[in-house]
Amino acid sequence: MATAKKEDTLGENIKTIVYALLIAGVVRTLFFQPFWIPSGSMKNTLLIGDFMFVNKMAYGYSRHSCPWSICPISGRIFGEEPERGDIIVFKHPVTNVDFIKRLVGLPGDRVQMREGILYINDVAAPQEDQGVFVEAMAQQGPMRHTPRCSNRVVGEGADCEKQLAIETLPGGVEHAVLNIGDSFADNTPAYTVPDGKYFFVGDNRDNSGDSRIPVSANGVGFVPFENLIGRADRVIFSSAGARIMYFWTWRKDRFFKALK
């Protein structure tokens, strides 16, 4: 009798685990996908170590909605067009790696960078100077990246500065952008966004591989609609440390922080 009870208990435990995994898989596929920020390309909107759940219902579903892009979907179903200014997780068109950037160019738009200023349909997106963004020169996140600074080489623990501005996109979306210095991506050709594709740029303009660089291992180019995974709306948790259990590195002021 004892052996039978143990077998029944083991069987129930296995069922519970299987059901939990199935529910988690459905939630991750249809509703929300967890996402950690691994790099500084979206500072200061997103910091290395920010954690969020990406809203996968925002733009409908494609084959990339499933882990490893295995959904048996051709094109996109229940699709909703993204809006300019959305912060979006998408699959890189070549490497299939998850990226997160800000959408600035819609199909048919003419997008160009001139001397570090974003132009959309030949109209500058105005920037209002906000002084400097300051962070410590220190290793950040599990990959131990160190930030780039506009005040050149600084020692460990010293202030690392970047120029901070508020940019206003057509339609009125306002968001922070950073400038480190002159960069090859400060001046680009004029790109006309094809139908069914989108143009993305990182908020940390001089530290972002994005649509300003033609599609390659280093550049994103135009991103097809089916590659969009979901919209990032809010930071849930944030840690500056190499391990999540290092509670002294938690950024409590970023818990449940809304994004814009």
Side-chain angles (χ1 to χ4, degrees), residues 40-57:
S41 69
M42 283 293 292
K43 288 179 181 178
N44 67 337
T45 305
L46 293 170
L47 303 181
I48 294 175
D50 281 350
F51 173 79
M52 66 200 66
F53 286 102
V54 175
N55 180 359
K56 301 183 79 170
M57 298 175 285

Side-chain angles (χ1 to χ4, degrees), residues 14 39 48 78 85 96 103 157 159 162 167 227 237 259-260:
I14 291 173
S39 73
I48 294 175
F78 310 121
N96 220 33
L103 173 61
D159 285 348
K162 299 173 182 64
E167 180 177 82
N227 285 47
F237 173 83
L259 299 175
K260 61 180 183 177

Side-chain angles (χ1 to χ4, degrees), residues 63-255:
R63 66 187 181 91
H64 298 295
S65 298
C66 290
W68 307 293
S69 300
I70 61 172
C71 279
I73 299 173
S74 176
R76 198 167 198 93
I77 59 173
F78 310 121
E80 293 287 341
E81 293 291 329
E83 297 182 3
R84 195 191 318 275
D86 285 355
I87 301 171
I88 298 176
V89 173
F90 59 88
K91 288 289 186 183
H92 187 284
V94 171
T95 66
N96 220 33
V97 172
D98 289 347
F99 271 52
I100 185 166
K101 306 289 180 186
R102 188 178 299 275
L103 173 61
V104 299
L106 303 176
D109 281 345
R110 177 182 166 93
V111 183
Q112 186 177 21
M113 295 292 296
R114 305 178 194 168
E115 298 182 352
I117 300 296
L118 176 67
Y119 283 74
I120 300 174
N121 298 321
D122 297 313
V123 177
Q127 292 187 6
E128 182 180 348
D129 182 31
Q130 298 291 304
V132 295
F133 167 72
V134 181
E135 60 184 335
M137 171 54 72
Q139 294 180 332
Q140 300 174 349
M143 300 183 70
R144 315 312 289 146
H145 290 303
T146 54
R148 293 176 56 204
C149 316
S150 62
N151 51 334
R152 304 307 178 189
V153 179
V154 298
E156 184 175 356
D159 285 348
C160 174
E161 299 179 355
K162 299 173 182 64
Q163 301 305 306
L164 173 66
I166 297 297
E167 180 177 82
T168 303
L169 297 174
V173 173
E174 297 181 346
H175 64 100
V177 294
L178 300 180
N179 178 47
I180 300 172
D182 293 336
S183 122
F184 72 94
D186 284 345
N187 293 281
T188 71
Y191 298 105
T192 299
V193 185
D195 289 343
K197 296 189 178 181
Y198 297 90
F199 196 99
F200 289 88
V201 176
D203 290 350
N204 189 2
R205 294 285 163 82
D206 297 323
N207 196 41
S208 175
D210 47 45
S211 294
R212 294 171 294 173
I213 306 171
V215 62
S216 63
N218 297 316
V220 170
F222 302 121
V223 178
F225 187 27
E226 73 168 355
N227 285 47
L228 307 192
I229 295 174
R231 185 181 65 224
D233 296 320
R234 185 177 298 271
V235 173
I236 303 300
F237 173 83
S238 185
S239 173
R243 298 287 184 273
I244 191 172
M245 69 282 294
Y246 294 171
F247 62 87
W248 57 91
T249 67
W250 294 356
R251 305 183 184 105
K252 297 180 179 63
D253 61 324
R254 296 187 65 79
F255 288 14

